[in-house]
Amino acid sequence: MKYRIATLLIAAGTAAFAHTGIKNEEVLARMDGMSAIADAVKVIGTMAKGETAFDAEAVDAALSEIEARAGEIPVRFETEIIPEKSEALPVIWDNTEDFGDKARALETLAAERIGSVQAADDLRPLMADIAGACKACHSEYRE
Ligand code: HEC
């Protein structure tokens, strides 16, 4: 499968930020968590595009960040609150187990790939797998 990195970044959901106007602190915290994940994915994505120099340590740091933030997703989404402008879908709270599984899938993927990236050629398949894990959750639980 061949995807352009730009497409993968969009699939990962790193293109849209909808914070404006949200005041609820729990909602802001969960959005900030997602933004931090997106920032870490961007580090890998821009490197995969050749826009930044290959740096295996920076990739590992980004993967650690994704692992840690993904681990926080289930707790961050414990309370059902969907203010206007939130993109969270109510089905999250009908399927908390599956939602948690999808968060853990991303957490595990990131953890397993730490130390695995040896060369720039490894970045593209990594991006495809990460984008797949984001999309698996967003396609069901994000507007
Ligand atoms: C387990 C589910 C799940 C996974 C996995 C997940 N997300 Fe999300 N994401 C959500 C939900 C739900 C929202 C909507 C939150 C809201 O608007 O309250 C969201 C929102 C976002 C947002 C918008 C945040 C904002 O400021 O409005 C970005 C960016 C994002 N995700 C990026 C990612 C990236 C990148 C990945 C993969 C590396 C990822 N997400 C993985 C569930 C997930």
Side-chain angles (χ1 to χ4, degrees):
M1 280 191 292
K2 279 200 173 167
Y3 298 111
R4 291 180 57 228
I5 294 297
T7 313
L8 292 175
L9 281 166
I10 292 164
T14 65
F17 296 89
H19 284 181
T20 351
I22 303 260
K23 293 199 173 65
N24 182 286
E25 302 224 335
E26 268 183 272
V27 176
L28 280 174
R30 77 190 186 202
M31 285 178 159
D32 282 346
M34 280 296 159
S35 301
I37 291 179
D39 287 345
V41 172
K42 262 186 222 160
V43 169
I44 302 171
T46 48
M47 212 182 281
K49 282 199 274 183
E51 288 174 6
T52 48
F54 178 72
D55 177 349
E57 270 179 38
V59 173
D60 286 348
L63 287 170
S64 299
E65 173 76 2
I66 296 167
E67 179 193 0
R69 297 292 189 155
E72 291 171 359
I73 294 174
V75 178
R76 292 269 186 233
F77 282 87
E78 246 165 26
T79 319
E80 176 169 0
I81 334 170
I82 314 172
E84 208 187 335
K85 301 225 173 112
S86 164
E87 297 168 319
L89 292 174
V91 282
I92 292 172
W93 294 278
D94 297 331
N95 301 305
T96 46
E97 207 166 306
D98 181 61
F99 185 79
D101 285 348
K102 288 184 162 59
R104 272 182 295 280
L106 175 61
E107 183 185 4
T108 309
L109 171 72
E112 283 176 355
R113 296 300 182 88
I114 295 171
S116 77
V117 172
Q118 313 281 331
D121 280 350
D122 300 333
L123 295 172
R124 197 168 277 270
L126 175 63
M127 270 303 291
D129 291 348
I130 292 174
C134 314
K135 208 178 158 203
C137 188
H138 288 171
S139 62
E140 284 183 51
Y141 299 114
R142 183 187 176 190
E143 233 173 75

